[in-house]
Amino acid sequence: MQSNASLQARRIAAIPRGLANAFPIYASRAENAEIWDIEGKRYIDFAGGIAVLNTGHRHPKVLKAVHDQLDRFTHTAFQILPYQPYVALCERLNALAPFSAPAKSILLSTGAEAVENAIKIARAATGRPGIIAFSGGFHGRTTLTMALTGKVAPYKVKFGVAPPAIYHLPFPAQSHGVSTADTIKALETLFRADIAPTDVAAIIIEPVQGEGGFLPAPAELLKTLRKTCDIHGIILIADEVQTGFARTGKMFGIEHSGVEPDLVTVAKSLAGGFPLSGVIGKANIMDAAEPGGLGGTYAGSPIACAAALAVLDIIAEENLLLRAEDLGGIIRKSLGDIVIRKDALPITAIRGPGAMIAFDIVDRQGKPDAAATKRVIAAALDDGLVLLSCGIHGNTIRVLNPLTISDAVLAEGLDKLANALVAANLE
């Protein structure tokens, strides 16, 4: 019988260390919000494959859609012989687009690929080179998206100088001592000191920063960015790779602000675990690229498209927008109960819309405690709960359970989280 230890030894010998693993635990099977490893141990999944599984592991409707497509064909390359699931999915996404203008969509494979294509489209539409992103933001690990990402370690270490014409603004967060006014002032300074607004193609922002610590972008900032883009002909890109598809209680996170973007990048929970991403945008902008300028051999896989169509059905039929709000309320209440306990580690700044919830672990002086956060995650794993950290100080715990999780399994997972905060406090 294989063990986690034996597979980990093989993994170390076969795979470079630049690809890290959160845990040396090897999955064997999964169902909805539960995973079993190859040794038979059960885990409750509060990671969701990094926000990929809003509809849970192996949802029956997703599996049926995939099986039906497998019986037809698996690949033609959409640029060679197109197929109906790609067209149907783009029609569905266009109808869901968080803006009032007519929309068009393109399908790809990964979140980073979606972001890169959004930048290409913005540059084609404007004829400008400049891109503005934000500190703490995460947009991918390719050369361009790594440059957009607002965090050096581990994403940029040893990888050389970033491509030109990319600029970063401080992201507003009370915990970082940055206000919305500070960010707006930094934008004004950028336009005076480094790049004219008429040379900027796009501003890209996550409505809620994911890797940066589940920090919601203030509506005031988003409204200011929209006004700035309108004045100067800049394209506003909402990176919804992590916030999209019901996680925040809206289909897209930016809908909470009432601000309409020009382009939206999507991936992660779009296809229920199958690799698929896309760019949804205003039709006149999306048509800026010349024929052949966009695409990819595996982009918009028919199998993933079939899965995504099922995911959109599930979100509607199971009312997952409302479910996300209900789950968020339950999680917030549980965390609030932990805050007042004397035997648990101190936690603070419970935040996030819908079921995109996070909190910070701090020491008794209120300072970020990354070491304690690692102890919590380890204690939770020992008890059968998968958790992820994030944030620039490494002290944020994010909760990303499937929106299809049962009340009983959610309660069990929250109990394990509370127990981990107590156990880590005793070490």
Side-chain angles (χ1 to χ4, degrees), residues 192-243:
R192 288 195 303 269
D194 293 310
I195 186 169
T198 51
D199 287 327
V200 175
I203 298 175
I204 184 167
I205 188 168
E206 298 165 275
V208 181
Q209 283 199 340
E211 184 66 21
F214 275 37
L215 302 172
E220 180 187 354
L221 173 62
L222 292 171
K223 290 174 182 176
T224 298
L225 295 178
R226 178 71 274 172
K227 182 178 179 181
T228 299
C229 289
D230 289 340
I231 291 170
H232 299 293
I234 299 169
I235 289 172
L236 181 61
I237 303 172
D239 185 346
E240 297 268 3
V241 166
Q242 190 157 165
T243 51

Side-chain angles (χ1 to χ4, degrees), residues 20 23 47 65 123-124 163 165 176 181 268 282 348 422-423:
F23 314 109
R123 285 175 167 167
H176 301 164
K268 289 193 181 287
K282 294 178 179 178
T348 187
V422 171

